[in-house]
Coordinates of all heavy atoms in Angstrom, one line a residue:
M1 N -20.4 -15.7 -6.5 CA -21.0 -16.7 -5.5 C -20.9 -18.1 -6.0 O -21.1 -18.3 -7.1 CB -22.4 -16.3 -5.1 CG -22.6 -15.0 -4.3 SD -24.2 -14.9 -3.5 CE -25.2 -14.8 -5.0
R2 N -20.8 -19.1 -5.1 CA -20.9 -20.5 -5.4 C -21.8 -21.2 -4.5 O -22.0 -20.8 -3.4 CB -19.5 -21.1 -5.4 CG -18.5 -20.6 -6.5 CD -17.1 -20.7 -6.1 NE -16.8 -20.0 -4.9 CZ -15.9 -20.3 -4.0 NH1 -15.1 -21.3 -4.2 NH2 -15.7 -19.6 -2.9
A3 N -22.3 -22.3 -5.0 CA -23.2 -23.1 -4.2 C -22.7 -24.5 -4.1 O -22.0 -25.1 -4.9 CB -24.6 -23.1 -4.9
C4 N -22.9 -25.1 -2.9 CA -22.4 -26.4 -2.6 C -23.4 -27.4 -3.4 O -24.5 -27.4 -3.3 CB -22.6 -26.7 -1.1 SG -22.2 -28.4 -0.6
R5 N -22.7 -28.4 -4.0 CA -23.4 -29.4 -4.8 C -24.1 -30.4 -3.9 O -25.0 -31.1 -4.3 CB -22.4 -30.1 -5.7 CG -22.1 -29.3 -6.9 CD -21.5 -30.2 -8.0 NE -21.2 -29.4 -9.2 CZ -20.0 -28.9 -9.5 NH1 -19.0 -29.1 -8.7 NH2 -19.8 -28.2 -10.6
H6 N -23.7 -30.5 -2.7 CA -24.3 -31.5 -1.8 C -25.5 -30.9 -1.0 O -26.6 -31.6 -1.0 CB -23.2 -32.0 -0.8 CG -22.2 -32.8 -1.5 ND1 -22.3 -34.1 -1.8 CD2 -21.0 -32.4 -2.0 CE1 -21.2 -34.5 -2.4 NE2 -20.4 -33.5 -2.5
C7 N -25.3 -29.8 -0.3 CA -26.4 -29.3 0.5 C -27.0 -28.0 0.0 O -28.0 -27.4 0.5 CB -26.0 -29.1 2.0 SG -24.7 -27.7 2.1
R8 N -26.4 -27.4 -1.1 CA -26.9 -26.3 -1.8 C -26.7 -25.0 -1.1 O -27.2 -23.9 -1.4 CB -28.4 -26.4 -2.1 CG -28.6 -27.4 -3.3 CD -30.1 -27.5 -3.7 NE -30.8 -28.3 -2.7 CZ -32.1 -28.6 -2.9 NH1 -32.7 -28.3 -4.0 NH2 -32.8 -29.3 -2.0
K9 N -26.0 -25.0 0.0 CA -25.7 -23.8 0.7 C -24.8 -22.9 -0.2 O -23.9 -23.3 -0.8 CB -25.0 -24.1 2.0 CG -24.9 -22.9 2.9 CD -24.5 -23.3 4.4 CE -24.2 -22.1 5.3 NZ -25.4 -21.2 5.4
I10 N -25.1 -21.5 -0.1 CA -24.3 -20.6 -0.9 C -23.2 -20.0 -0.1 O -23.4 -19.6 0.9 CB -25.2 -19.5 -1.5 CG1 -26.2 -20.1 -2.5 CG2 -24.4 -18.4 -2.1 CD1 -27.3 -19.2 -3.1
E11 N -22.0 -20.1 -0.8 CA -20.8 -19.4 -0.2 C -20.5 -18.1 -0.9 O -20.3 -18.1 -2.1 CB -19.6 -20.5 -0.3 CG -18.4 -19.9 0.3 CD -18.5 -19.5 1.7 OE1 -18.8 -20.3 2.5 OE2 -18.3 -18.3 1.9
T12 N -20.5 -17.0 -0.2 CA -20.2 -15.7 -0.9 C -18.8 -15.3 -0.8 O -18.4 -14.5 -1.6 CB -21.1 -14.6 -0.2 OG1 -20.9 -14.6 1.2 CG2 -22.6 -14.8 -0.4
D13 N -18.0 -15.8 0.1 CA -16.6 -15.4 0.2 C -15.7 -16.3 -0.9 O -15.7 -17.4 -0.8 CB -16.1 -15.7 1.6 CG -14.7 -15.1 1.8 OD1 -14.0 -14.8 0.8 OD2 -14.4 -14.9 3.0
K14 N -15.2 -15.6 -1.8 CA -14.3 -16.2 -2.9 C -13.1 -16.9 -2.3 O -12.6 -17.9 -2.9 CB -13.9 -15.2 -3.9 CG -14.9 -14.8 -4.9 CD -14.4 -13.8 -5.9 CE -15.5 -13.5 -6.9 NZ -14.9 -12.5 -8.0
K15 N -12.7 -16.5 -1.1 CA -11.5 -17.2 -0.5 C -11.8 -18.5 0.1 O -10.9 -19.3 0.3 CB -10.8 -16.2 0.5 CG -10.1 -15.0 -0.2 CD -9.6 -14.1 0.9 CE -10.5 -12.9 0.9 NZ -10.1 -11.9 2.0
V16 N -13.0 -18.7 0.3 CA -13.4 -20.0 1.0 C -13.7 -21.0 0.0 O -14.5 -20.8 -1.0 CB -14.7 -19.7 1.9 CG1 -15.2 -21.0 2.5 CG2 -14.4 -18.7 3.0
N17 N -13.1 -22.2 0.1 CA -13.3 -23.3 -0.8 C -13.9 -24.5 -0.2 O -13.9 -25.6 -0.8 CB -11.9 -23.7 -1.4 CG -11.4 -22.7 -2.4 OD1 -12.2 -22.3 -3.3 ND2 -10.2 -22.3 -2.3
Q18 N -14.5 -24.3 1.0 CA -15.2 -25.3 1.7 C -16.6 -24.9 2.1 O -16.8 -23.8 2.5 CB -14.3 -25.8 2.8 CG -14.9 -27.0 3.6 CD -14.0 -27.4 4.7 OE1 -13.2 -26.6 5.3 NE2 -13.9 -28.7 5.0
C19 N -17.6 -25.8 1.9 CA -18.9 -25.5 2.4 C -19.0 -25.3 3.9 O -18.5 -26.2 4.6 CB -19.9 -26.6 1.8 SG -21.5 -26.4 2.5
A20 N -19.6 -24.3 4.3 CA -19.8 -24.1 5.8 C -20.8 -25.1 6.3 O -20.8 -25.3 7.6 CB -20.1 -22.7 6.1
G21 N -21.7 -25.6 5.5 CA -22.7 -26.4 6.0 C -22.3 -27.9 6.1 O -22.4 -28.5 7.2
C22 N -21.8 -28.5 5.1 CA -21.4 -29.9 5.1 C -19.9 -30.2 4.9 O -19.6 -31.4 4.8 CB -22.3 -30.6 4.1 SG -21.8 -30.2 2.3
Q23 N -19.1 -29.2 5.0 CA -17.7 -29.3 4.9 C -17.2 -29.8 3.5 O -16.0 -30.2 3.4 CB -17.1 -30.2 6.0 CG -17.7 -29.9 7.4 CD -17.4 -28.5 7.8 OE1 -16.4 -27.9 7.7 NE2 -18.5 -27.8 8.3
S24 N -18.1 -29.8 2.5 CA -17.7 -30.3 1.2 C -16.9 -29.3 0.4 O -17.0 -28.1 0.7 CB -18.9 -30.7 0.4 OG -18.6 -30.9 -1.0
H25 N -16.0 -29.8 -0.4 CA -15.2 -28.8 -1.3 C -15.8 -28.8 -2.7 O -15.2 -28.2 -3.6 CB -13.7 -29.3 -1.4 CG -13.0 -29.3 -0.1 ND1 -12.2 -28.1 0.2 CD2 -12.9 -30.0 1.0 CE1 -11.7 -28.3 1.4 NE2 -12.1 -29.4 1.9
D26 N -16.9 -29.4 -2.8 CA -17.5 -29.5 -4.1 C -18.6 -28.3 -4.3 O -19.7 -28.4 -4.2 CB -18.3 -30.8 -4.2 CG -18.7 -31.2 -5.7 OD1 -18.2 -30.4 -6.6 OD2 -19.3 -32.1 -5.9
L27 N -18.0 -27.1 -4.7 CA -18.7 -25.9 -4.9 C -18.9 -25.6 -6.3 O -17.9 -25.8 -7.2 CB -18.1 -24.7 -4.2 CG -17.9 -24.9 -2.6 CD1 -17.1 -23.7 -2.1 CD2 -19.1 -25.2 -1.9
S28 N -20.0 -25.1 -6.7 CA -20.3 -24.8 -8.2 C -20.7 -23.4 -8.4 O -21.5 -22.8 -7.6 CB -21.4 -25.8 -8.7 OG -21.8 -25.4 -10.0
E29 N -20.2 -22.8 -9.5 CA -20.6 -21.4 -9.8 C -21.9 -21.5 -10.6 O -22.6 -20.5 -10.9 CB -19.5 -20.7 -10.6 CG -18.3 -20.3 -9.7 CD -17.3 -19.5 -10.5 OE1 -17.6 -19.1 -11.6 OE2 -16.2 -19.3 -10.0
D30 N -22.3 -22.6 -11.1 CA -23.4 -22.8 -12.0 C -24.6 -23.2 -11.2 O -24.9 -24.4 -11.0 CB -23.0 -23.8 -13.1 CG -24.1 -23.8 -14.2 OD1 -25.0 -23.0 -14.1 OD2 -24.0 -24.7 -15.1
F31 N -25.3 -22.2 -10.6 CA -26.5 -22.5 -10.0 C -27.6 -21.5 -10.3 O -27.3 -20.4 -10.8 CB -26.3 -22.6 -8.4 CG -25.9 -21.2 -7.8 CD1 -26.8 -20.4 -7.3 CD2 -24.6 -20.8 -7.8 CE1 -26.5 -19.1 -6.8 CE2 -24.2 -19.6 -7.2 CZ -25.2 -18.7 -6.7
S32 N -28.9 -21.8 -9.9 CA -29.9 -20.8 -10.2 C -30.8 -20.7 -9.0 O -31.2 -21.7 -8.4 CB -30.6 -21.2 -11.5 OG -31.3 -22.5 -11.3
G33 N -31.3 -19.5 -8.8 CA -32.3 -19.3 -7.7 C -31.6 -19.3 -6.4 O -30.8 -20.0 -6.1
I34 N -32.1 -18.3 -5.5 CA -31.6 -18.2 -4.2 C -32.7 -18.2 -3.2 O -33.7 -17.4 -3.4 CB -30.7 -16.9 -4.0 CG1 -29.5 -17.0 -4.9 CG2 -30.3 -16.7 -2.6 CD1 -28.6 -15.8 -4.9
V35 N -32.6 -19.1 -2.2 CA -33.6 -19.1 -1.1 C -32.9 -18.6 0.1 O -31.8 -19.2 0.5 CB -34.2 -20.5 -0.9 CG1 -35.1 -20.5 0.3 CG2 -35.0 -20.9 -2.2
V36 N -33.5 -17.6 0.8 CA -32.9 -17.2 2.1 C -33.7 -17.7 3.2 O -34.9 -17.4 3.3 CB -32.8 -15.6 2.1 CG1 -32.2 -15.2 3.5 CG2 -31.9 -15.0 1.0
V37 N -33.1 -18.5 4.0 CA -33.8 -19.1 5.2 C -33.4 -18.4 6.4 O -32.2 -18.3 6.8 CB -33.5 -20.6 5.3 CG1 -34.1 -21.3 6.4 CG2 -33.9 -21.4 4.0
I38 N -34.4 -17.8 7.1 CA -34.1 -17.0 8.3 C -34.4 -17.9 9.5 O -33.8 -17.8 10.5 CB -34.9 -15.7 8.3 CG1 -34.5 -14.8 7.1 CG2 -34.7 -15.0 9.6 CD1 -35.5 -13.8 6.7
D39 N -35.6 -18.6 9.4 CA -36.0 -19.5 10.5 C -36.4 -20.8 9.9 O -37.6 -21.1 9.6 CB -37.2 -18.8 11.3 CG -37.5 -19.5 12.6 OD1 -37.0 -20.7 12.7 OD2 -38.2 -19.0 13.3
Y40 N -35.5 -21.7 9.8 CA -35.7 -23.0 9.1 C -36.8 -23.9 9.7 O -37.4 -24.7 9.1 CB -34.4 -23.8 8.9 CG -33.8 -24.4 10.1 CD1 -34.2 -25.7 10.5 CD2 -32.9 -23.7 10.9 CE1 -33.7 -26.3 11.7 CE2 -32.4 -24.2 12.1 CZ -32.8 -25.6 12.5 OH -32.3 -26.1 13.6
E41 N -36.9 -23.7 11.1 CA -37.9 -24.6 11.8 C -39.3 -24.2 11.4 O -40.2 -25.0 11.5 CB -37.7 -24.5 13.3 CG -36.4 -25.2 13.7 CD -36.2 -25.0 15.3 OE1 -36.3 -23.9 15.8 OE2 -35.9 -26.0 15.9
K42 N -39.5 -22.9 11.0 CA -40.9 -22.5 10.6 C -41.1 -22.4 9.2 O -42.2 -22.1 8.7 CB -41.1 -21.1 11.3 CG -41.3 -21.2 12.8 CD -41.4 -19.9 13.5 CE -41.5 -20.0 15.0 NZ -41.4 -18.6 15.6
S43 N -40.0 -22.5 8.4 CA -40.1 -22.4 6.9 C -40.5 -23.7 6.2 O -39.9 -24.7 6.4 CB -38.7 -21.9 6.4 OG -38.7 -22.0 5.0
T44 N -41.7 -23.6 5.4 CA -42.0 -24.8 4.8 C -41.1 -25.1 3.6 O -40.9 -26.2 3.2 CB -43.5 -24.6 4.2 OG1 -43.6 -23.4 3.5 CG2 -44.4 -24.7 5.4
I45 N -40.5 -24.0 3.0 CA -39.6 -24.2 1.9 C -38.4 -24.9 2.3 O -37.9 -25.8 1.8 CB -39.2 -22.8 1.3 CG1 -40.4 -22.1 0.7 CG2 -38.1 -23.0 0.2 CD1 -40.2 -20.6 0.4
A46 N -37.9 -24.5 3.6 CA -36.7 -25.2 4.1 C -37.0 -26.7 4.4 O -36.2 -27.6 4.1 CB -36.3 -24.5 5.4
Q47 N -38.2 -26.9 4.8 CA -38.6 -28.3 5.1 C -38.6 -29.1 3.8 O -38.1 -30.3 3.7 CB -39.9 -28.4 5.8 CG -39.8 -28.1 7.3 CD -41.1 -27.9 8.0 OE1 -42.2 -28.3 7.4 NE2 -41.1 -27.2 9.1
K48 N -39.2 -28.5 2.7 CA -39.2 -29.2 1.4 C -37.9 -29.5 0.9 O -37.7 -30.5 0.2 CB -40.1 -28.3 0.4 CG -41.6 -28.6 0.6 CD -42.3 -27.7 -0.5 CE -43.8 -27.8 -0.3 NZ -44.5 -26.9 -1.2
M49 N -36.9 -28.5 1.1 CA -35.6 -28.7 0.5 C -34.7 -29.4 1.4 O -33.6 -29.7 1.1 CB -35.0 -27.3 0.2 CG -35.7 -26.6 -0.9 SD -35.1 -24.8 -1.1 CE -33.5 -25.1 -1.7
G50 N -35.2 -29.8 2.6 CA -34.4 -30.5 3.5 C -33.3 -29.7 4.2 O -32.2 -30.2 4.5
I51 N -33.5 -28.4 4.4 CA -32.6 -27.5 4.9 C -32.7 -27.5 6.5 O -33.8 -27.4 7.0 CB -32.8 -26.1 4.4 CG1 -32.4 -26.0 2.9 CG2 -31.9 -25.1 5.2 CD1 -32.9 -24.8 2.2
T52 N -31.6 -27.7 7.1 CA -31.7 -27.8 8.6 C -30.7 -26.7 9.3 O -30.3 -26.9 10.4 CB -31.2 -29.1 9.1 OG1 -29.9 -29.5 8.5 CG2 -32.1 -30.2 8.6
A53 N -30.5 -25.6 8.6 CA -29.8 -24.6 9.2 C -30.2 -23.3 8.4 O -30.5 -23.3 7.3 CB -28.3 -24.8 9.0
N54 N -30.1 -22.1 9.0 CA -30.4 -20.9 8.4 C -29.3 -20.4 7.5 O -28.1 -20.8 7.7 CB -30.6 -19.8 9.4 CG -31.8 -20.0 10.3 OD1 -32.7 -20.7 9.9 ND2 -31.8 -19.5 11.5
G55 N -29.6 -19.7 6.4 CA -28.6 -19.2 5.5 C -29.2 -19.0 4.1 O -30.4 -19.2 3.9
K56 N -28.3 -18.9 3.1 CA -28.7 -18.7 1.7 C -28.5 -20.0 1.0 O -27.4 -20.6 1.2 CB -27.8 -17.7 1.0 CG -28.2 -16.2 1.4 CD -27.3 -15.3 0.6 CE -27.5 -13.8 1.1 NZ -26.4 -13.0 0.6
Y57 N -29.4 -20.5 0.2 CA -29.4 -21.7 -0.5 C -29.8 -21.5 -2.0 O -30.6 -20.8 -2.3 CB -30.3 -22.8 0.2 CG -29.8 -23.1 1.6 CD1 -30.2 -22.4 2.6 CD2 -29.0 -24.3 1.7 CE1 -29.7 -22.7 3.9 CE2 -28.5 -24.6 3.0 CZ -28.9 -23.8 4.1 OH -28.5 -24.1 5.4
A58 N -29.1 -22.4 -2.8 CA -29.5 -22.3 -4.2 C -30.6 -23.2 -4.5 O -30.8 -24.3 -3.8 CB -28.3 -22.8 -5.1
V59 N -31.5 -22.9 -5.3 CA -32.6 -23.8 -5.7 C -32.2 -24.9 -6.6 O -32.5 -26.1 -6.4 CB -33.7 -23.0 -6.5 CG1 -34.9 -23.9 -6.9 CG2 -34.3 -21.8 -5.5
K60 N -31.3 -24.6 -7.5 CA -30.8 -25.7 -8.4 C -29.2 -25.5 -8.5 O -28.8 -24.3 -8.8 CB -31.4 -25.6 -9.8 CG -32.7 -26.3 -9.9 CD -33.1 -26.3 -11.4 CE -34.6 -26.8 -11.5 NZ -35.1 -26.7 -12.9
V61 N -28.5 -26.5 -8.4 CA -27.1 -26.5 -8.6 C -26.7 -27.5 -9.7 O -27.2 -28.7 -9.6 CB -26.3 -26.9 -7.3 CG1 -24.8 -26.8 -7.5 CG2 -26.7 -26.0 -6.2
R62 N -25.9 -27.1 -10.6 CA -25.6 -28.0 -11.7 C -24.1 -28.5 -11.5 O -23.3 -27.9 -10.8 CB -25.6 -27.3 -13.1 CG -27.1 -27.2 -13.4 CD -27.2 -26.5 -14.8 NE -28.5 -25.8 -14.9 CZ -28.7 -24.5 -14.5 NH1 -27.8 -23.8 -14.1 NH2 -29.9 -24.0 -14.6
Ligands
ZN101 ZN1 -22.6 -28.2 1.6

């Protein structure tokens, strides 16, 4: 799995080289922590992280 360096969205498909969230190609294998956002409008974690879509996100991306 890789995480986007810009929006921290996690990409699980190895064939995909573009972030589904922000269209960035800057994906990193070096990340830690996974947050699964099911309902971002009600999630306080999503609000703190600035997440505006449901999905898997890395807590830290290097
Ligand atoms: Zn992204």
Side-chain angles (χ1 to χ4, degrees):
M1 288 196 297
R2 288 158 301 156
C4 174
R5 284 197 176 96
H6 294 276
C7 69
R8 291 185 283 190
K9 190 167 176 56
I10 289 174
E11 180 54 64
T12 52
D13 191 339
K14 281 185 177 177
K15 286 175 257 176
V16 176
N17 285 312
Q18 188 174 30
C19 172
C22 67
Q23 315 302 313
S24 167
H25 291 268
D26 198 5
L27 305 178
S28 171
E29 288 184 9
D30 191 6
F31 66 91
S32 61
I34 296 174
V35 173
V36 179
V37 177
I38 299 160
D39 189 347
Y40 73 90
E41 286 178 317
K42 290 177 183 169
S43 169
T44 51
I45 297 167
Q47 283 169 17
K48 276 183 186 173
M49 290 174 70
I51 292 166
T52 55
N54 296 332
K56 286 181 189 164
Y57 293 85
V59 177
K60 279 186 184 174
V61 184
R62 286 179 204 94

